[in-house]
Amino acid sequence: MNIQRFIDARKAQGLSQNELAEGICTQATLSRFENNGQVPNLKILIKLCNRINLPLSELFPKVGVKYSEIVEKMNKAEFFLITSKYEKANSLIDSIDISQIEDTQLVLRYHYLNGFIMIFQQQPIMDILFTFDRVLLEEETMDALIFRLLAYTGIGMVYSREGDLEKAEFYFNRILEKIYNYPAKNMEDTWRVLNIVFQCGVFYAKMEELEISDALLHYAVTICSDNHVTYYLARAAIQLAKNAIVNNKPTDIILELIYDARAYSKVNRNDIALAELRDLEASVLENNS
């Protein structure tokens, strides 16, 4: 309940607690509400709100239709994030006023999206860590678990980017303990699990733990196949091709992975991936000419 909104409305009317409470309730009842969050019965609350011309609905968390525009923006931003369109994702997130959101799940989602966008835009490490801390400092519930795992992923990615692989591995290990058993409830959850598994695969490739990396990337491909999701197929196939190069696999196997990734990228119109694949194929062919 937004008690501060109530207090602001009372003060805007120029009323003291005694003046507002007169004929409705005791000043002590009103004080307990404003100072300690002890909500009076609904009949009293309605009378108090009517006296200061405050609709009762403004005291309660905004849900349903009032959040539909924000949810739609977040849906689009999350889609742009997984399809590597970071500028578009950032533009949408920047247009959301986080101070107007009281729904905890939406707040967590906002910070997770903002944190990942900051990573891909090469923002300073302390700013990124602060953003993910805002997820981790929320109460640990089952509904919040996926966002905590995403925050751990983001922190691991940042430390990896900074070259501190020991700290990065600490966070990625925490993720692997839980992600395999996470019950994705909807398509957005599936995207998030894929994001986590893929980033873990990329990290372990950087650690030259290619067996672990390949297992995670193949798991990502399986998730895509089982859920008819194609967005991460190209990225997983690209990383598998890179791993195959490091492992000195035969050229035909490497090229097959590259061609698979190109097909997935064309389906999703992922120009960034297609450009990376052109360079990768040229490098493979040059080294084998």
Side-chain angles (χ1 to χ4, degrees):
M1 180 170 288
N2 191 348
I3 296 173
Q4 188 59 49
R5 177 72 183 91
F6 178 92
I7 295 170
D8 292 343
R10 172 177 66 77
K11 290 180 177 178
Q13 294 290 327
L15 297 174
S16 68
Q17 287 186 345
N18 275 324
E19 289 169 332
L20 176 55
E22 186 177 356
I24 298 176
C25 63
T26 65
Q27 184 271 335
T29 296
L30 180 53
S31 177
R32 284 194 296 271
F33 172 51
E34 290 192 354
N35 298 320
N36 301 317
Q38 295 183 22
V39 182
N41 71 53
L42 187 59
K43 190 176 293 186
I44 290 175
L45 187 59
I46 289 172
K47 287 181 179 179
L48 291 170
C49 286
N50 287 343
R51 182 165 287 181
I52 57 176
N53 298 318
L54 176 68
L56 182 67
S57 61
E58 292 195 21
L59 295 183
F60 295 97
K62 298 175 176 65
V63 296
V65 138
K66 291 188 178 181
Y67 274 158
S68 61
E69 183 179 353
I70 290 174
V71 170
E72 182 61 24
K73 285 182 178 181
M74 288 191 184
N75 286 344
K76 288 180 179 178
E78 194 155 15
F79 180 76
F80 286 141
L81 178 64
I82 66 174
T83 52
S84 306
K85 297 175 181 176
Y86 306 123
E87 290 295 333
K88 290 184 177 180
N90 185 58
S91 179
L92 284 166
I93 289 299
D94 275 352
S95 71
I96 297 172
D97 183 358
I98 186 64
S99 68
Q100 299 301 309
I101 304 175
E102 296 172 10
D103 182 287
T104 301
Q105 290 295 102
L106 286 181
V107 170
L108 293 173
R109 189 181 186 190
Y110 172 89
H111 290 312
Y112 131 65
L113 289 170
N114 195 30
F116 269 82
I117 291 166
M118 291 169 74
I119 290 172
F120 292 116
Q121 293 192 321
Q122 303 297 312
Q123 296 295 315
I125 181 172
M126 297 306 293
D127 293 343
I128 300 171
L129 293 180
F130 176 74
T131 298
F132 287 127
D133 275 345
R134 298 180 74 174
V135 175
L136 297 176
L137 289 172
E138 287 289 341
E139 183 181 357
E140 192 169 349
T141 64
M142 188 60 195
D143 287 339
L145 176 59
I146 190 65
F147 296 109
R148 295 182 70 82
L149 294 176
L150 285 159
Y152 288 143
T153 303
I155 294 172
M157 290 168 65
V158 171
Y159 280 123
S160 177
R161 184 188 80 182
E162 297 297 311
D164 195 335
L165 300 185
E166 184 177 348
K167 286 190 177 72
E169 189 171 22
F170 170 82
Y171 287 97
F172 281 111
N173 280 339
R174 296 200 68 175
I175 297 158
L176 293 180
E177 291 172 3
K178 296 181 179 180
I179 193 61
Y180 278 103
N181 295 317
Y182 180 78
K185 298 179 287 293
N186 50 46
M187 187 53 67
E188 286 78 13
D189 258 2
T190 301
W191 290 351
R192 294 162 194 157
V193 170
L194 275 167
N195 188 4
I196 292 168
V197 173
F198 172 73
Q199 297 299 344
C200 286
V202 171
F203 170 72
Y204 282 103
K206 186 171 185 177
M207 288 281 287
E208 298 184 356
E209 297 276 2
L210 298 181
E211 186 176 1
I212 298 174
S213 176
D214 284 353
L216 288 163
L217 295 167
H218 283 299
Y219 178 44
V221 170
T222 299
I223 295 172
C224 290
S225 177
D226 289 347
N227 293 277
H228 308 290
V229 177
T230 61
Y231 308 115
Y232 273 94
L233 280 172
R235 297 176 72 179
I238 290 171
Q239 188 61 53
L240 283 167
K242 291 177 179 178
N243 290 0
I245 292 170
V246 174
N247 271 327
N248 294 314
K249 293 285 183 71
T251 302
D252 58 335
I253 292 177
I254 296 170
L255 290 175
E256 184 177 359
L257 287 166
I258 290 173
Y259 299 152
D260 285 347
R262 178 178 295 151
Y264 302 142
S265 300
K266 285 181 177 178
V267 168
N268 295 309
R269 301 176 184 175
N270 190 333
D271 295 332
I272 295 173
L274 287 169
E276 183 177 6
L277 287 163
R278 280 195 295 272
D279 293 340
L280 195 61
E281 181 183 11
S283 174
V284 170
L285 293 174
E286 182 181 347
N287 289 335
N288 287 272
S289 60

